[in-house]
Amino acid sequence: MKYAARLANLSYRLRSASENQPPIGGAIKRGFDIAAAASGIVLLSPLFLMLAMLVKFSDGGRVFYGHSRIGRNGDIFHCLKFRTMVENGDQVLAAHFAGNPQSREEWLATRKLQNDPRVTRVGAVLRKLSLDELPQMFNILRGDMSIVGPRPVVKDELELYGPAADFYLKSRPGLTGLWQVSGRNDVSYGTRIAFDRHYVENWSFIFDLKIIAKTVPAVFSSRGSY
């Protein structure tokens, strides 16, 4: 209840303060997002099809996975990905925590597991190259996300942001961002929060272009991706 009240309060304050103001970047950033996402979907359509077939034929499960995330002003949206985990992931994770308490501590600290038992073989490859996140281009077209911004978080994670949550909620979450090109999971969660705050406080279109330029080498280096 305390967390729900905090989140509601954050959302109310931001909605009140920015009711007549555009999100970070305004029309320039949004126009670039639409053009880039639409072009990416068209140009990468053969890759989308190939990846969809790999996921489907690997275990016969769903191709896409949509998870509830917190967006700008606290709005909840379904963040799309190619499915990289087994269908009964919750049960698998619970069983893993029961026999590996240290993994639970890792999860509580970072919301990530370096050796996640839920990830499929195909999913591990997709995650390594960040290909699982390509469907988020549809989220960008819908206005849920941006090409560049903080990584979308779940409700429990936003509580870890403390006062910095205000900055997260001012921007649309991004397909890529300062955290992704600065070590990803090799840095602490506190550092990730600091990156998100720095990005929002110092946004410029040139800053976005620099992050995009660093994204491709960061993806191919696979540093901090799991």
Side-chain angles (χ1 to χ4, degrees):
M1 291 296 294
K2 183 183 293 187
Y3 173 71
R6 174 180 170 78
L7 181 58
N9 183 51
L10 284 172
S11 299
Y12 173 77
R13 282 159 45 200
L14 284 172
R15 288 182 188 280
S16 299
S18 60
E19 186 175 3
N20 298 312
Q21 297 178 20
I24 294 298
I28 293 176
K29 185 174 177 64
R30 181 62 185 147
F32 177 79
D33 285 343
I34 293 172
S39 299
I41 290 170
V42 172
L43 293 175
L44 297 176
S45 55
L47 178 61
F48 270 81
L49 180 60
M50 182 187 73
L51 295 178
M53 293 174 64
L54 281 174
V55 174
K56 185 64 177 178
F57 294 149
S58 64
D59 62 5
R62 293 171 296 170
V63 171
F64 298 105
Y65 175 75
H67 196 273
S68 294
R69 302 286 168 137
I70 304 298
R72 177 177 172 261
N73 283 339
D75 291 337
I76 297 175
F77 70 97
H78 280 88
C79 185
L80 296 175
K81 289 187 176 185
F82 283 116
R83 183 176 59 84
T84 60
M85 295 185 178
V86 294
E87 293 281 9
N88 60 332
D90 290 342
Q91 293 92 327
V92 171
L93 187 61
H96 180 71
F97 285 159
N100 299 273
Q102 69 277 11
S103 291
R104 183 175 181 81
E105 292 177 5
E106 178 186 354
W107 174 262
L108 292 174
T110 65
R111 304 295 165 173
K112 289 274 189 177
L113 291 177
Q114 189 161 4
N115 296 300
D116 196 319
R118 299 170 297 173
V119 178
T120 65
R121 290 184 179 180
V122 170
V125 176
L126 296 185
R127 286 183 165 215
K128 196 74 173 177
L129 298 175
S130 297
L131 294 174
D132 61 313
E133 297 174 354
L134 288 180
Q136 289 166 22
M137 289 185 182
F138 292 101
N139 285 118
I140 294 171
L141 283 182
R142 290 178 52 187
D144 300 326
M145 296 179 62
S146 177
I147 295 293
V148 182
R151 282 303 296 155
V153 299
V154 298
K155 288 183 178 180
D156 289 345
E157 287 181 281
L158 192 60
E159 189 173 15
L160 300 175
Y161 274 63
D166 287 335
F167 295 92
Y168 173 90
L169 293 169
K170 288 180 181 178
S171 179
R172 291 187 177 96
L175 176 62
T176 186
L178 191 56
W179 172 71
Q180 288 91 323
V181 301
S182 303
R184 299 186 67 169
N185 295 306
D186 285 346
V187 303
S188 69
Y189 205 92
T191 301
R192 169 178 168 172
I193 293 171
F195 282 147
D196 287 348
R197 177 169 183 163
H198 178 79
Y199 171 77
V200 174
E201 288 183 313
N202 297 276
W203 180 87
S204 73
F205 187 60
I206 297 300
F207 194 11
D208 273 4
L209 293 180
K210 288 180 179 179
I211 291 174
I212 292 170
K214 292 179 179 179
T215 297
V216 174
V219 167
F220 279 105
S221 72
S222 298
R223 180 189 169 195
S225 67
Y226 53 82

